[in-house]
Amino acid sequence: MTREFSGLSAVVTGGGSGIGLAAARLLADRGASVACLDLDPAGVPADLLGLRCDVTDAVSVTEAVATAADRLGGLDILVNNAGTGAQGTIEANPDDEWHRVLDVNVLGVVRVSRAALPHLRASSAAAIVNTCSIVATTGLPNRALYSATKGAVQALTLAMAADHVDEGIRVNCVNPGTVDTPWVRRLLDSADDPAGELAALRARQPIRRLVSAAEVAAAIAYLASPLAAATTGTVLAVDGGMHGLRLPPAGPGPGRRDG
Ligand code: NAD
């Protein structure tokens, strides 16, 4: 039986961990040939192509994308997922840190997309999916710098979708809520009260749990799929209802299904 992504090749940045690794795994399981570009590709399974790449380094990006396209026989799908975090208000981080995080989260998307576009133009099923975030649409405290980068990624997604629609290249993004990945586990480990912090993160999302990496991967695969050929310039929330819903606080009470 022909699988959804049979004959297609995909590059996933940040594919060595968390959401990127889950997306790469899912695309491969559905028939794609997949390269994972990551600062640390050690966690990439043997049946996927792991390539060391730093999205802040133009030479590294150009070489890794060329190697991926060469080894996979072209490039149809790009998942711009590599990212880094930052905490605090606008007073918390010096200019250098703003430049560093913008360089990874925004210019990283620009560099990898630029390198991939010539290959995508040769594809009849070209798609770019950017991993954005709930913070692009919802103000969360102590995430000023990170939010600014993801707001830029969402705007860039829409601008790129407009620029490349006539070339047959679709561009969409996913906006995850808080996802249970090594990134969030690291944040929890550094908290004064990890169990309390985890409970607060769960309570913040209307589904009262963290989103799984597999759930975000499924949304990425949908947007990347030839079956979604009419979908471009779309922002798909995978946030447990965080952006769209307004519920009473957790616990027994009117309006709660457990109340
Ligand atoms: P993760 O730390 O598990 O994975 C991120 C991967 O990106 C790592 O393998 C890391 O090595 C790689 N990476 C970082 N900087 C890089 C660089 N300069 N060049 C190449 N690779 C680099 O984190 P995750 O939670 O899976 O996050 C993936 C994406 O999802 C990020 O863009 C993040 O902003 C976004 N996101 C995460 C959450 C969440 O709650 N975990 C929520 C919303 C959005």
Side-chain angles (χ1 to χ4, degrees), residues 58 61-63 65-66 75 110-120:
V61 166
T62 308
E63 286 178 0
V65 170
L75 182 53
V110 174
R111 288 187 193 95
V112 182
S113 300
R114 226 187 243 149
L117 275 169
H119 303 287
L120 295 175

Side-chain angles (χ1 to χ4, degrees), residues 14 16-20 37-40 53-56 81-83 104 131-133 146 150 176-179 181-184 186:
S17 174
I19 293 167
L37 276 48
D38 204 294
L39 277 179
D40 178 11
C53 172
D54 180 353
V55 300
T56 68
N81 168 81
V104 178
T131 304
C132 190
S133 170
Y146 180 66
K150 292 300 184 176
T178 305
V179 189
T181 67
W183 167 322
V184 166
R186 284 193 298 272

Side-chain angles (χ1 to χ4, degrees), residues 134 136-139 175 177 204-206 235 237 239-246:
I134 176 78
T137 57
T138 301
N175 281 9
R204 194 170 70 171
Q205 304 197 135
V235 178
D239 61 3
M242 203 173 169
H243 175 62
L245 308 187
R246 293 292 176 275

Side-chain angles (χ1 to χ4, degrees), residues 3-257:
R3 288 179 293 169
E4 190 180 347
F5 290 95
S6 286
L8 300 181
S9 302
V11 157
V12 181
T13 70
S17 174
I19 293 167
L21 181 55
R25 181 72 274 156
L26 185 58
L27 293 172
D29 288 348
R30 293 186 184 175
S33 303
V34 181
C36 296
L37 276 48
D38 204 294
L39 277 179
D40 178 11
V44 177
D47 60 324
L48 310 183
L49 177 61
L51 294 173
R52 203 198 164 279
C53 172
D54 180 353
V55 300
T56 68
D57 178 342
V59 173
S60 167
V61 166
T62 308
E63 286 178 0
V65 170
T67 302
D70 187 44
R71 299 270 294 274
L72 304 179
L75 182 53
D76 306 281
I77 294 158
L78 168 62
V79 181
N80 280 310
N81 168 81
T84 192
Q87 298 187 53
T89 70
I90 55 159
E91 294 177 302
N93 293 294
D95 286 8
D96 282 357
E97 183 65 356
W98 277 80
H99 286 300
R100 187 189 73 80
V101 179
L102 280 158
D103 201 15
V104 178
N105 291 2
V106 184
L107 288 161
V109 175
V110 174
R111 288 187 193 95
V112 182
S113 300
R114 226 187 243 149
L117 275 169
H119 303 287
L120 295 175
R121 287 191 179 104
S123 167
S124 57
I128 298 176
V129 184
N130 297 325
T131 304
C132 190
S133 170
I134 176 78
V135 299
T137 57
T138 301
L140 298 183
N142 282 315
R143 291 290 183 275
L145 166 51
Y146 180 66
S147 302
T149 69
K150 292 300 184 176
V153 169
Q154 180 167 312
L156 185 59
T157 299
L158 303 183
M160 288 170 64
D163 282 340
H164 302 293
V165 66
D166 285 342
E167 298 180 305
I169 302 170
R170 300 182 300 106
V171 187
N172 295 284
C173 70
V174 290
N175 281 9
T178 305
V179 189
D180 194 352
T181 67
W183 167 322
V184 166
R185 291 289 158 182
R186 284 193 298 272
L187 271 179
L188 290 172
D189 288 346
S190 67
D192 294 337
D193 172 15
E197 187 69 21
L198 177 59
L201 289 176
R202 285 178 174 148
R204 194 170 70 171
Q205 304 197 135
I207 59 171
R208 306 302 181 198
R209 63 169 175 82
L210 301 189
V211 176
S212 72
E215 289 166 333
V216 183
I220 291 172
Y222 166 69
L223 293 171
S225 170
L227 298 175
T231 301
T232 191
T234 291
V235 178
L236 179 52
V238 193
D239 61 3
M242 203 173 169
H243 175 62
L245 308 187
R246 293 292 176 275
L247 299 184
R256 290 294 302 170
R257 59 177 180 268

